[in-house]
Amino acid sequence: MLKFLAVIDYETFGDDYLKVAERVADRAEMIWFRAKALTAAETFRKAEKMRRLLPHAFLILSERPDIAVAAGFDGVQLNERSLSPETVEEVFPELVTGYSAHSLEEIEQIQADFFTLSPIFMTDKPYEVNPIGALDVTDTGKKVYALGGITVSSLTLLNDKGYYGYAGIGIIKGMI
């Protein structure tokens, strides 16, 4: 059974982010709080509220290991523009590291505790999206979550392709 990584994107859910996180917490293995447009102080305050609301949830924060630790989060989701997973593991060994990959090569080259691979399917973005399809990730030997355009009906396309789970924002809208 595929595990669910709920992506609570502040730009998508706005001030309802806590209500949304609470509604999906019992179904998600992890909750990723993504707040790209907020200042560090705003991100910290909102992350701290999420931790207080969901004391037993496994929470990860985008890109900011310092804020993740300060807010009591369990991990951080990194990417090509952030600190490397190796640096984070050295400076913040208490954090689990995730990495947002866009190819199998990235997954093979980078060491992290888990990966999101995207975009798997077409998804509505304000920029051009080039889906990579439900690639087989079995040979990577790594914990990979499919991300991008994931729907309840497309989950079956991930079966037998080595995915540990699936992640998404849009799929949450169908749950709440």
Side-chain angles (χ1 to χ4, degrees):
M1 179 109 169
L2 294 173
K3 305 289 184 182
F4 177 45
L5 168 55
V7 183
I8 306 298
D9 181 71
Y10 190 78
E11 291 177 16
T12 301
F13 298 112
D15 289 336
D16 289 335
Y17 79 104
L18 289 174
K19 288 181 199 167
V20 174
E22 191 173 36
R23 302 248 340 245
V24 300
D26 63 334
R27 296 176 239 185
E29 179 184 53
M30 293 190 285
I31 296 175
W32 168 9
F33 181 45
R34 192 164 79 176
K36 292 181 179 183
L38 298 178
T39 66
E42 291 170 325
T43 300
F44 171 72
R45 284 192 295 274
K46 292 183 184 323
E48 196 175 43
K49 285 181 183 176
M50 185 179 283
R51 172 45 75 206
R52 279 195 309 269
L53 178 68
L54 302 169
H56 304 295
F58 196 95
L59 302 177
I60 59 175
L61 182 68
S62 285
E63 300 177 19
R64 295 294 305 261
D66 54 340
I67 296 174
V69 168
F73 273 42
D74 304 289
V76 65
Q77 183 73 10
L78 306 167
N79 59 52
E80 62 188 13
R81 296 174 309 281
S82 67
L83 293 174
S84 71
E86 294 84 7
T87 299
V88 171
E89 289 171 359
E90 186 177 312
V91 179
F92 303 97
E94 66 273 34
L95 292 177
V96 168
T97 56
Y99 188 85
S100 297
H102 302 287
S103 69
L104 292 177
E105 292 77 26
E106 260 186 301
I107 292 172
E108 290 165 359
Q109 294 170 1
I110 293 169
Q111 292 303 313
D113 295 309
F114 68 91
F115 295 83
T116 57
L117 178 61
S118 70
I120 301 297
F121 304 116
M122 184 54 76
T123 183
D124 187 25
K125 297 286 183 188
Y127 49 84
E128 185 178 347
V129 175
N130 296 307
I132 59 176
L135 301 175
D136 192 319
V137 300
T138 305
D139 290 343
T140 68
K142 297 182 179 179
K143 192 185 286 191
V144 179
Y145 292 85
L147 174 65
I150 306 297
T151 63
V152 171
S153 60
S154 70
L155 287 175
T156 58
L157 299 173
L158 303 176
N159 290 340
D160 302 320
K161 298 214 175 183
Y163 288 94
Y164 181 80
Y166 63 99
I169 299 169
I171 197 165
I172 291 173
K173 293 176 183 176
M175 295 179 177
I176 55 175

